Amino acid sequence: MSGQLPAGIERVLFTEEEIEERIRQVAAEVTAKYAGRQLKLIGVLKGSVFFLTQLARRIDLPLKIDFLAISSFSAKAGAPGLVRIAKDLDEGIEGEDVLLVEDIVDTGFTLRYLLQTLSGRGPNSLAVCTFLDRTSRRIVQTPIDYRCFEIPDHFVVGYGLDYHQAYRNLNYVAVMRPDKLS
Ligand code: IMP
Ligand code: MG
């Protein structure tokens, strides 16, 4: 990370070095927990992609990867949305040890929906690993097994997270300038 921040960015919250160090720690926890087993990482498109690929590189286990995409609709902006699967997994998960990988858990509605849906498909185990966790805005309580960072109540972008599809490729996590959010 060098030079000026892009327009729209207020400040850096976590640098690439901090992120990669933390991912290494979480990957070590996962490796220890699932020792002797094969793991399936399920990423939620598109926000979790950058995190998932870095995490997967640091997990020392036989591992498979699959993705799903969701869309959420809300009746009015900011209201809890209805969630549905826009792109489903390529393969079933019956009998597998599944780790659901999220970019951020905010209200918890998305995660609750995903856990309900995936648990109905007969995995041997189902756990959650989120890159960011904003507990201050939680509405539905959902179990989280692994989290990299708890974040304050600001809109953040980078390392996969977007604002209107932009900023995903920043190699750090940053707070958006509130005056740039519509
Ligand atoms: P939840 O259902 O409210 O927990 O919403 C989680 C989803 O909202 C995440 O998977 C993100 O796609 C999106 N989201 C929530 N907060 C942020 C943020 O600060 N930056 C970017 N995306 C966010
Ligand atoms: Mg998401």
Side-chain angles (χ1 to χ4, degrees), residues 44-45 67-73 83-89 113-114 121:
V44 184
L45 295 171
F67 290 100
L68 52 75
I70 49 140
S71 15
S72 25
F73 313 85
V83 185
R84 71 170 180 85
I85 291 184
K87 178 233 171 278
D88 208 337
L89 298 172
Y113 170 79
L114 290 173
R121 298 182 186 184

PDB file of all heavy atoms in Angstrom, residues 44-45 67-73 83-89 113-114 121:
ATOM      1  N   VAL A  44     -19.084 -17.416  -0.344  1.00  0.00           N
ATOM      2  CA  VAL A  44     -20.266 -16.679  -0.781  1.00  0.00           C
ATOM      3  C   VAL A  44     -19.778 -15.577  -1.731  1.00  0.00           C
ATOM      4  O   VAL A  44     -19.029 -14.688  -1.327  1.00  0.00           O
ATOM      5  CB  VAL A  44     -21.020 -16.077   0.420  1.00  0.00           C
ATOM      6  CG1 VAL A  44     -22.301 -15.387  -0.042  1.00  0.00           C
ATOM      7  CG2 VAL A  44     -21.327 -17.156   1.452  1.00  0.00           C
ATOM      8  N   LEU A  45     -20.182 -15.690  -3.002  1.00  0.00           N
ATOM      9  CA  LEU A  45     -19.747 -14.723  -4.021  1.00  0.00           C
ATOM     10  C   LEU A  45     -20.398 -13.370  -3.791  1.00  0.00           C
ATOM     11  O   LEU A  45     -21.538 -13.322  -3.350  1.00  0.00           O
ATOM     12  CB  LEU A  45     -20.117 -15.236  -5.414  1.00  0.00           C
ATOM     13  CG  LEU A  45     -19.394 -16.529  -5.838  1.00  0.00           C
ATOM     14  CD1 LEU A  45     -20.004 -17.074  -7.134  1.00  0.00           C
ATOM     15  CD2 LEU A  45     -17.904 -16.283  -6.017  1.00  0.00           C
ATOM     16  N   PHE A  67     -18.619 -22.590  -4.546  1.00  0.00           N
ATOM     17  CA  PHE A  67     -19.141 -21.239  -4.331  1.00  0.00           C
ATOM     18  C   PHE A  67     -20.649 -21.208  -4.530  1.00  0.00           C
ATOM     19  O   PHE A  67     -21.203 -21.982  -5.303  1.00  0.00           O
ATOM     20  CB  PHE A  67     -18.522 -20.255  -5.340  1.00  0.00           C
ATOM     21  CG  PHE A  67     -17.064 -19.976  -5.102  1.00  0.00           C
ATOM     22  CD1 PHE A  67     -16.095 -20.611  -5.857  1.00  0.00           C
ATOM     23  CD2 PHE A  67     -16.666 -19.074  -4.124  1.00  0.00           C
ATOM     24  CE1 PHE A  67     -14.745 -20.354  -5.640  1.00  0.00           C
ATOM     25  CE2 PHE A  67     -15.324 -18.806  -3.905  1.00  0.00           C
ATOM     26  CZ  PHE A  67     -14.360 -19.449  -4.666  1.00  0.00           C
ATOM     27  N   LEU A  68     -21.288 -20.293  -3.847  1.00  0.00           N
ATOM     28  CA  LEU A  68     -22.666 -19.961  -4.174  1.00  0.00           C
ATOM     29  C   LEU A  68     -22.796 -18.444  -4.168  1.00  0.00           C
ATOM     30  O   LEU A  68     -21.945 -17.739  -3.633  1.00  0.00           O
ATOM     31  CB  LEU A  68     -23.661 -20.617  -3.210  1.00  0.00           C
ATOM     32  CG  LEU A  68     -23.497 -20.451  -1.705  1.00  0.00           C
ATOM     33  CD1 LEU A  68     -23.922 -19.068  -1.250  1.00  0.00           C
ATOM     34  CD2 LEU A  68     -24.348 -21.489  -0.983  1.00  0.00           C
ATOM     35  N   ALA A  69     -23.841 -17.977  -4.811  1.00  0.00           N
ATOM     36  CA  ALA A  69     -24.106 -16.529  -4.812  1.00  0.00           C
ATOM     37  C   ALA A  69     -25.514 -16.311  -4.304  1.00  0.00           C
ATOM     38  O   ALA A  69     -26.414 -17.126  -4.551  1.00  0.00           O
ATOM     39  CB  ALA A  69     -23.956 -15.955  -6.213  1.00  0.00           C
ATOM     40  N   ILE A  70     -25.702 -15.239  -3.590  1.00  0.00           N
ATOM     41  CA  ILE A  70     -27.031 -14.930  -3.085  1.00  0.00           C
ATOM     42  C   ILE A  70     -27.440 -13.545  -3.567  1.00  0.00           C
ATOM     43  O   ILE A  70     -26.593 -12.714  -3.887  1.00  0.00           O
ATOM     44  CB  ILE A  70     -27.061 -14.956  -1.550  1.00  0.00           C
ATOM     45  CG1 ILE A  70     -25.897 -14.143  -0.978  1.00  0.00           C
ATOM     46  CG2 ILE A  70     -27.012 -16.353  -1.000  1.00  0.00           C
ATOM     47  CD1 ILE A  70     -26.292 -13.354   0.187  1.00  0.00           C
ATOM     48  N   SER A  71     -28.738 -13.322  -3.612  1.00  0.00           N
ATOM     49  CA  SER A  71     -29.181 -11.941  -3.781  1.00  0.00           C
ATOM     50  C   SER A  71     -30.128 -11.635  -2.647  1.00  0.00           C
ATOM     51  O   SER A  71     -30.879 -12.491  -2.189  1.00  0.00           O
ATOM     52  CB  SER A  71     -29.869 -11.693  -5.115  1.00  0.00           C
ATOM     53  OG  SER A  71     -30.218 -12.868  -5.735  1.00  0.00           O
ATOM     54  N   SER A  72     -30.063 -10.413  -2.193  1.00  0.00           N
ATOM     55  CA  SER A  72     -31.024 -10.024  -1.162  1.00  0.00           C
ATOM     56  C   SER A  72     -31.810  -8.820  -1.651  1.00  0.00           C
ATOM     57  O   SER A  72     -31.297  -7.956  -2.355  1.00  0.00           O
ATOM     58  CB  SER A  72     -30.337  -9.732   0.163  1.00  0.00           C
ATOM     59  OG  SER A  72     -29.008  -9.366  -0.021  1.00  0.00           O
ATOM     60  N   PHE A  73     -33.048  -8.822  -1.308  1.00  0.00           N
ATOM     61  CA  PHE A  73     -33.940  -7.718  -1.662  1.00  0.00           C
ATOM     62  C   PHE A  73     -34.467  -7.144  -0.370  1.00  0.00           C
ATOM     63  O   PHE A  73     -34.810  -7.894   0.524  1.00  0.00           O
ATOM     64  CB  PHE A  73     -35.159  -8.215  -2.442  1.00  0.00           C
ATOM     65  CG  PHE A  73     -34.823  -9.149  -3.551  1.00  0.00           C
ATOM     66  CD1 PHE A  73     -34.657 -10.511  -3.311  1.00  0.00           C
ATOM     67  CD2 PHE A  73     -34.672  -8.664  -4.834  1.00  0.00           C
ATOM     68  CE1 PHE A  73     -34.341 -11.374  -4.348  1.00  0.00           C
ATOM     69  CE2 PHE A  73     -34.353  -9.523  -5.865  1.00  0.00           C
ATOM     70  CZ  PHE A  73     -34.194 -10.868  -5.628  1.00  0.00           C
ATOM     71  N   VAL A  83     -33.543 -13.131   1.422  1.00  0.00           N
ATOM     72  CA  VAL A  83     -32.345 -13.671   0.793  1.00  0.00           C
ATOM     73  C   VAL A  83     -32.737 -14.874  -0.044  1.00  0.00           C
ATOM     74  O   VAL A  83     -33.595 -15.660   0.347  1.00  0.00           O
ATOM     75  CB  VAL A  83     -31.321 -14.095   1.878  1.00  0.00           C
ATOM     76  CG1 VAL A  83     -30.017 -14.537   1.248  1.00  0.00           C
ATOM     77  CG2 VAL A  83     -31.073 -12.953   2.853  1.00  0.00           C
ATOM     78  N   ARG A  84     -32.144 -15.000  -1.236  1.00  0.00           N
ATOM     79  CA  ARG A  84     -32.335 -16.236  -2.004  1.00  0.00           C
ATOM     80  C   ARG A  84     -31.032 -16.591  -2.690  1.00  0.00           C
ATOM     81  O   ARG A  84     -30.155 -15.744  -2.867  1.00  0.00           O
ATOM     82  CB  ARG A  84     -33.471 -16.102  -3.019  1.00  0.00           C
ATOM     83  CG  ARG A  84     -33.132 -15.205  -4.174  1.00  0.00           C
ATOM     84  CD  ARG A  84     -34.168 -15.276  -5.286  1.00  0.00           C
ATOM     85  NE  ARG A  84     -33.775 -14.384  -6.368  1.00  0.00           N
ATOM     86  CZ  ARG A  84     -32.933 -14.729  -7.344  1.00  0.00           C
ATOM     87  NH1 ARG A  84     -32.423 -15.941  -7.403  1.00  0.00           N
ATOM     88  NH2 ARG A  84     -32.595 -13.856  -8.279  1.00  0.00           N
ATOM     89  N   ILE A  85     -30.932 -17.870  -3.102  1.00  0.00           N
ATOM     90  CA  ILE A  85     -29.721 -18.316  -3.800  1.00  0.00           C
ATOM     91  C   ILE A  85     -29.826 -17.939  -5.275  1.00  0.00           C
ATOM     92  O   ILE A  85     -30.772 -18.322  -5.955  1.00  0.00           O
ATOM     93  CB  ILE A  85     -29.523 -19.831  -3.628  1.00  0.00           C
ATOM     94  CG1 ILE A  85     -29.163 -20.116  -2.164  1.00  0.00           C
ATOM     95  CG2 ILE A  85     -28.422 -20.344  -4.556  1.00  0.00           C
ATOM     96  CD1 ILE A  85     -28.841 -21.559  -1.859  1.00  0.00           C
ATOM     97  N   ALA A  86     -28.862 -17.171  -5.767  1.00  0.00           N
ATOM     98  CA  ALA A  86     -28.844 -16.766  -7.175  1.00  0.00           C
ATOM     99  C   ALA A  86     -28.008 -17.737  -8.005  1.00  0.00           C
ATOM    100  O   ALA A  86     -28.245 -17.938  -9.188  1.00  0.00           O
ATOM    101  CB  ALA A  86     -28.290 -15.360  -7.314  1.00  0.00           C
ATOM    102  N   LYS A  87     -26.988 -18.320  -7.389  1.00  0.00           N
ATOM    103  CA  LYS A  87     -26.170 -19.363  -8.041  1.00  0.00           C
ATOM    104  C   LYS A  87     -25.877 -20.402  -6.984  1.00  0.00           C
ATOM    105  O   LYS A  87     -25.300 -20.094  -5.949  1.00  0.00           O
ATOM    106  CB  LYS A  87     -24.864 -18.768  -8.566  1.00  0.00           C
ATOM    107  CG  LYS A  87     -23.931 -19.791  -9.219  1.00  0.00           C
ATOM    108  CD  LYS A  87     -22.533 -19.748  -8.640  1.00  0.00           C
ATOM    109  CE  LYS A  87     -21.634 -20.871  -9.097  1.00  0.00           C
ATOM    110  NZ  LYS A  87     -21.806 -22.135  -8.354  1.00  0.00           N
ATOM    111  N   ASP A  88     -26.294 -21.629  -7.243  1.00  0.00           N
ATOM    112  CA  ASP A  88     -26.129 -22.672  -6.222  1.00  0.00           C
ATOM    113  C   ASP A  88     -24.747 -23.332  -6.350  1.00  0.00           C
ATOM    114  O   ASP A  88     -24.017 -23.098  -7.307  1.00  0.00           O
ATOM    115  CB  ASP A  88     -27.238 -23.721  -6.360  1.00  0.00           C
ATOM    116  CG  ASP A  88     -27.564 -24.402  -5.031  1.00  0.00           C
ATOM    117  OD1 ASP A  88     -26.692 -24.417  -4.130  1.00  0.00           O
ATOM    118  OD2 ASP A  88     -28.678 -24.929  -4.889  1.00  0.00           O
ATOM    119  N   LEU A  89     -24.422 -24.139  -5.342  1.00  0.00           N
ATOM    120  CA  LEU A  89     -23.187 -24.921  -5.355  1.00  0.00           C
ATOM    121  C   LEU A  89     -23.162 -25.828  -6.584  1.00  0.00           C
ATOM    122  O   LEU A  89     -24.216 -26.240  -7.081  1.00  0.00           O
ATOM    123  CB  LEU A  89     -23.115 -25.798  -4.091  1.00  0.00           C
ATOM    124  CG  LEU A  89     -23.086 -25.054  -2.761  1.00  0.00           C
ATOM    125  CD1 LEU A  89     -23.222 -26.054  -1.607  1.00  0.00           C
ATOM    126  CD2 LEU A  89     -21.806 -24.249  -2.630  1.00  0.00           C
ATOM    127  N   TYR A 113     -29.890 -17.529   6.843  1.00  0.00           N
ATOM    128  CA  TYR A 113     -30.485 -18.178   5.673  1.00  0.00           C
ATOM    129  C   TYR A 113     -29.556 -19.265   5.116  1.00  0.00           C
ATOM    130  O   TYR A 113     -29.985 -20.382   4.822  1.00  0.00           O
ATOM    131  CB  TYR A 113     -30.788 -17.124   4.597  1.00  0.00           C
ATOM    132  CG  TYR A 113     -31.165 -17.733   3.276  1.00  0.00           C
ATOM    133  CD1 TYR A 113     -32.456 -18.222   3.052  1.00  0.00           C
ATOM    134  CD2 TYR A 113     -30.228 -17.864   2.256  1.00  0.00           C
ATOM    135  CE1 TYR A 113     -32.798 -18.805   1.846  1.00  0.00           C
ATOM    136  CE2 TYR A 113     -30.552 -18.445   1.050  1.00  0.00           C
ATOM    137  CZ  TYR A 113     -31.837 -18.918   0.847  1.00  0.00           C
ATOM    138  OH  TYR A 113     -32.154 -19.509  -0.345  1.00  0.00           O
ATOM    139  N   LEU A 114     -28.278 -18.930   4.987  1.00  0.00           N
ATOM    140  CA  LEU A 114     -27.325 -19.896   4.417  1.00  0.00           C
ATOM    141  C   LEU A 114     -27.182 -21.129   5.302  1.00  0.00           C
ATOM    142  O   LEU A 114     -27.128 -22.257   4.809  1.00  0.00           O
ATOM    143  CB  LEU A 114     -25.969 -19.229   4.195  1.00  0.00           C
ATOM    144  CG  LEU A 114     -25.946 -18.200   3.063  1.00  0.00           C
ATOM    145  CD1 LEU A 114     -24.606 -17.473   3.041  1.00  0.00           C
ATOM    146  CD2 LEU A 114     -26.217 -18.859   1.714  1.00  0.00           C
ATOM    147  N   ARG A 121     -28.908 -30.082   3.791  1.00  0.00           N
ATOM    148  CA  ARG A 121     -28.322 -30.933   2.745  1.00  0.00           C
ATOM    149  C   ARG A 121     -27.427 -32.036   3.308  1.00  0.00           C
ATOM    150  O   ARG A 121     -26.656 -32.654   2.568  1.00  0.00           O
ATOM    151  CB  ARG A 121     -27.519 -30.070   1.765  1.00  0.00           C
ATOM    152  CG  ARG A 121     -28.403 -29.044   1.057  1.00  0.00           C
ATOM    153  CD  ARG A 121     -27.617 -28.242   0.058  1.00  0.00           C
ATOM    154  NE  ARG A 121     -28.430 -27.180  -0.512  1.00  0.00           N
ATOM    155  CZ  ARG A 121     -28.027 -26.366  -1.481  1.00  0.00           C
ATOM    156  NH1 ARG A 121     -26.818 -26.524  -2.000  1.00  0.00           N
ATOM    157  NH2 ARG A 121     -28.811 -25.422  -1.945  1.00  0.00           N
TER     158      ARG A 121
END
